[in-house]
Structure formats: structure tokens, C-alpha cells
Amino acid sequence: MNKDLKLLPGILQWKIGNKKVTVINDSHFIAGEPYLTHLPNIDLSGFLHETFRPEVPTLTTSVFLIEGAGHMPILIDTGMGNKLAPDIEGHLLAALQFMGIKPDEIGTVLLTHLHGDHFYGLINQNGEKNFPNAKIWVSETEENYWLNTSHTQPHDIQNAEDVRVALRSYERINTSGTQILEAITAVPLPGHTPGHTGFLLESEGEKLLFCGDIFTIPAVQAAMPEVGFATDVDYAMAAKTRITLLEKAYTERLLIAGPHFEFPNLSYVKKQNEGYQLIPKQWI
């Protein structure tokens, strides 16, 4: 693309009950086939070509903003930030500016888990908070895994240090049970990481489950839900959680959304052959 042809931030807004949910396209990462695990013996590039997707698996990342009466704006995850810029740079702050929302207006950040593409955006390159008035929620299991566990792999050791730096200046939300905020409930979805968590938004009879990294490459993992991703901490549990959630979403006609779903993200689930298919919600 011509670098002079600048695009506006990718955002799309949905009404869920009396809440406004904005999907913000934050960044993308060319993962490649080695990132996928437990692949069946197929021609992956051919499969992706047939499904009109990049023949090299490409991961897109979105962040979610929830607005409504009675609370300050809520973020689910914060994207890539600028830690890896200019190679990979998040667009969350630019999108908020485009929408007329100042970073100090964010009141809450809910973190699905603590991989970098979900928390790097908490701080700037100087280690300062990007959202100075926000409190954060992350599951105790997840925080303990990264901060109180002895890691052996270099990338995990580095990630644990990045977690420590990003979280150290943020106040936590103290909750008992799964109810985090009015209308938002934590849903444990372990496997990808030990404390991987989804968030169920319920408003005026409508439901939307933000399901974190249930998928990283949805074109592949919906059709073949046994396929894992290289960053899965517990592959077997992640696959089991994915299949259980897909079946639940299918039988209950539950609307779901995840950071790595294809923009603009909100989808229903349909059974197809031996797997499933994501059906995008119609934007009206």
C-alpha cells in the first residue's frame, strides 16, 4: 500500500441493550503456519486460499470499548501499544482520539489474559500509564501464573517481566465471585493461559460474550477446532474449552466476539461438516 494513503482507524459500533460496544481494529501480525499446532494433514495455504484468506496465516487484533449510563468507558484489552513499533503498532489510542474519547476518561480495563498483544497498550514507551484514571481487572489465577511462577522459556520470562512493568502502577478492581461490574460477568475459559477469561455483557435481555483467544486464526480453528496455537499454555484444555464454547454458542444462539475474530468481529456460530463456522452479525 502507498504509505501516503492513510486510512482512518477501523471502528464499528453496535448496540447491545442499553450499552454501546465499539470494536476497534488495533493491529495485525503475520503468524505463519509454524504458529499453528496439531494441524491435520492438509494443504493449509490451499485451505486458506479457498476461504479467501491470506495464504500465510495472519492474526488480527481488536479491542472493545463499552459505554453506557452510570459508568465511565470500559476497555476489554488494550492491544499492542507501541512496544514493538514500528514493526507492529497498535491503533487504540488513535481510534479513541478519532472518537473524541480521552485516555483519562477510561474508567476500567478488563484483561482477558496476559499475552503482550492484550496488555502492551496499558503503558507507553516510557512505562507511564496510558489510562491514568483506570482500574484494571485480571483474574487472580492469570496474574499469579505470570508473576509468581518460575518460568523456563526465554519468551515466558520476558513476558512475565513485561507483565510486571505494565501492571505495577494500576489499581486493581476488588471483586468477590464472578460479577465484576454491573452487567459484566467473568467467564473462566482456561487453557490458552491458566487464567484466560471471557466477559459476558448482559443488557436489557441481550447478551454478548467476549471470549478472548478462543480463536487466534478463526478461519482455521472454527472449521478445525482441534487446531491449537503456539502460545497455548495447555493445548488439550484450550481445545476442550474452545469446542465446549462453540457448542454452547451454537445451541444457545449466543453472540460472541474475540480479539482475533475478523473485523468487525461480532459473530454467531453455525455447525458445518466436522467443525463450525462463524456467521457475522448483520450490522443494521
Side-chain angles (χ1 to χ4, degrees):
M1 178 185 293
N2 186 327
K3 293 183 179 180
D4 294 329
L5 298 177
K6 293 184 178 180
L7 300 178
L8 294 174
I11 62 174
L12 191 62
Q13 297 180 326
W14 306 86
K15 185 175 181 292
I16 304 295
N18 62 11
K19 304 294 183 182
K20 180 169 67 174
V21 175
T22 304
V23 184
I24 299 170
N25 186 256
D26 180 73
S27 57
H28 75 277
F29 166 63
I30 299 174
E33 185 170 341
Y35 278 85
L36 294 170
T37 70
H38 300 82
L39 271 169
N41 186 21
I42 64 167
D43 173 10
L44 181 61
S45 63
F47 172 84
L48 290 169
H49 178 79
E50 288 296 319
T51 56
F52 301 95
R53 293 297 173 265
E55 294 182 23
V56 177
T58 299
L59 180 153
T60 59
T61 299
S62 293
V63 175
F64 305 99
L65 179 75
I66 302 173
E67 298 174 272
H71 62 81
M72 296 172 69
I74 300 163
L75 282 175
I76 297 181
D77 291 336
T78 60
M80 286 297 300
N82 56 15
K83 179 179 174 62
L84 301 181
D87 294 331
I88 305 174
E89 187 166 11
H91 303 301
L92 171 59
L93 293 180
L96 291 176
Q97 182 180 27
F98 178 74
M99 295 164 60
I101 296 176
K102 298 177 181 178
D104 62 8
E105 294 177 315
I106 302 298
T108 304
V109 177
L110 307 177
L111 296 170
T112 59
H113 64 297
L114 294 173
H115 281 151
D117 53 334
H118 301 267
F119 75 83
Y120 282 162
L122 282 171
I123 58 176
N124 63 23
Q125 288 179 319
N126 297 320
E128 301 164 333
K129 293 193 292 186
N130 278 331
F131 309 104
N133 295 321
K135 296 180 180 180
I136 66 172
W137 187 97
V138 61
S139 82
E140 184 177 348
T141 299
E142 184 74 1
E143 190 166 355
N144 282 338
Y145 175 74
W146 289 108
L147 298 185
N148 300 317
T149 300
S150 179
H151 297 280
T152 59
Q153 297 300 318
H155 57 274
D156 287 339
I157 295 171
Q158 182 60 57
N159 191 72
E161 178 58 26
D162 292 338
V163 168
R164 191 180 307 278
V165 171
L167 298 189
R168 64 187 174 189
S169 58
Y170 278 95
E171 182 180 348
R172 306 297 190 274
I173 294 174
N174 295 317
T175 60
S176 58
T178 59
Q179 193 73 36
I180 302 174
L181 300 166
E182 182 270 329
I184 299 180
T185 304
V187 179
L189 298 171
H192 182 61
T193 61
H196 182 250
T197 302
F199 302 105
L200 180 64
L201 172 65
E202 299 182 82
S203 179
E204 296 186 336
E206 296 187 53
K207 296 181 180 181
L208 171 59
L209 176 61
F210 301 94
C211 57
D213 280 15
I214 284 295
F215 303 117
T216 44
I217 308 292
V220 175
Q221 291 173 297
M224 296 174 281
E226 73 282 359
V227 174
F229 200 71
T231 54
D232 289 337
V233 173
D234 185 333
Y235 159 75
M237 184 177 290
K240 180 180 178 181
T241 297
R242 177 164 45 254
I243 293 168
T244 299
L245 177 61
L246 284 167
E247 189 64 24
K248 175 182 175 67
Y250 167 68
T251 57
E252 298 182 10
R253 300 177 68 87
L254 177 63
L255 186 63
I256 60 175
H260 303 308
F261 283 29
E262 294 170 357
F263 188 82
N265 212 284
L266 277 63
S267 299
Y268 295 100
V269 174
K270 174 185 176 182
K271 280 193 173 181
Q272 179 170 287
N273 301 324
E274 299 301 315
Y276 300 84
Q277 180 184 5
L278 295 183
I279 306 296
K281 178 177 174 62
Q282 185 176 1
W283 189 83
I284 299 174

